[in-house]
């Protein structure tokens, strides 16, 4: 049995998907971009988008009763792999006590012209 997770403090989905699915004790969180929940607008600039994407991910985790400490795997999608170091510096602040496994790839494009997107798998 699985449960659909909808986070009130994260931006609405921009397509036909949910914020996350909880299957047993494992959460599969959809990718989060740097949309500001209150306005639906994309944060301006790479760093602002990276922070907002991580804050949106935190909101999805919280809606499922989890936190960044429960994340076991992430995938980071970058519009430009040259942004790796800048995003890494921000990303690391969200996992101070041990980073999860991670993949990071450059993609051709992201929704709404975003520069970064982060998805996660978490286990409680």
């Amino acid at each position: 049995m699985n449960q659909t997770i909808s986070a009130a403090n994260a931006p609405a989905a921009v397509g036909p998907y949910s914020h996350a699915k909880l299957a047993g004790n494992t959460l599969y969180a959809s990718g989060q971009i740097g949309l500001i929940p209150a306005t639906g607008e994309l944060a301006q600039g790479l760093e602002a988008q990276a922070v907002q994407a991580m804050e949106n991910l935190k909101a999805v985790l919280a809606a499922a009763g989890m936190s960044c400490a429960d994340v076991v795997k992430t995938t980071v999608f970058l519009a430009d792999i040259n942004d790796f170091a800048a995003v890494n510096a921000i990303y690391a602040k969200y996992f101070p006590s041990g980073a999860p496994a991670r993949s990071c790839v450059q993609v051709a494009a992201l929704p709404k012209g975003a520069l970064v997107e982060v998805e996660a798998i978490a286990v409680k």
Side-chain angles (χ1 to χ4, degrees):
M1 181 168 167
N2 63 59
Q3 176 185 356
T4 298
I5 303 297
S6 182
N9 295 328
V14 295
Y17 59 89
S18 58
H19 283 137
K21 283 290 202 176
L22 184 62
N25 62 345
T26 304
L27 183 76
Y28 299 89
S30 294
Q32 294 297 311
I33 60 175
L35 290 178
I36 301 165
T39 65
E41 298 295 320
L42 200 57
Q44 294 300 305
L46 174 70
E47 289 83 3
Q49 285 187 32
V51 168
Q52 190 62 59
M54 293 303 297
E55 289 297 319
N56 293 342
L57 179 60
K58 275 180 51 178
V60 171
L61 292 165
M66 295 186 179
S67 72
C68 288
D70 298 308
V71 175
V72 297
K73 171 72 168 76
T74 63
T75 304
V76 177
F77 304 94
L78 298 174
D80 184 347
I81 199 69
N82 292 311
D83 293 335
F84 182 84
V87 171
N88 234 15
I90 292 163
Y91 175 95
K93 294 176 184 177
Y94 289 85
F95 302 103
S97 61
R102 181 183 80 181
S103 301
C104 183
V105 296
Q106 177 176 310
V107 295
L110 290 167
K112 298 203 172 259
L115 302 173
V116 60
E117 180 172 3
V118 183
E119 68 178 22
I121 299 170
V123 178
K124 191 80 167 163

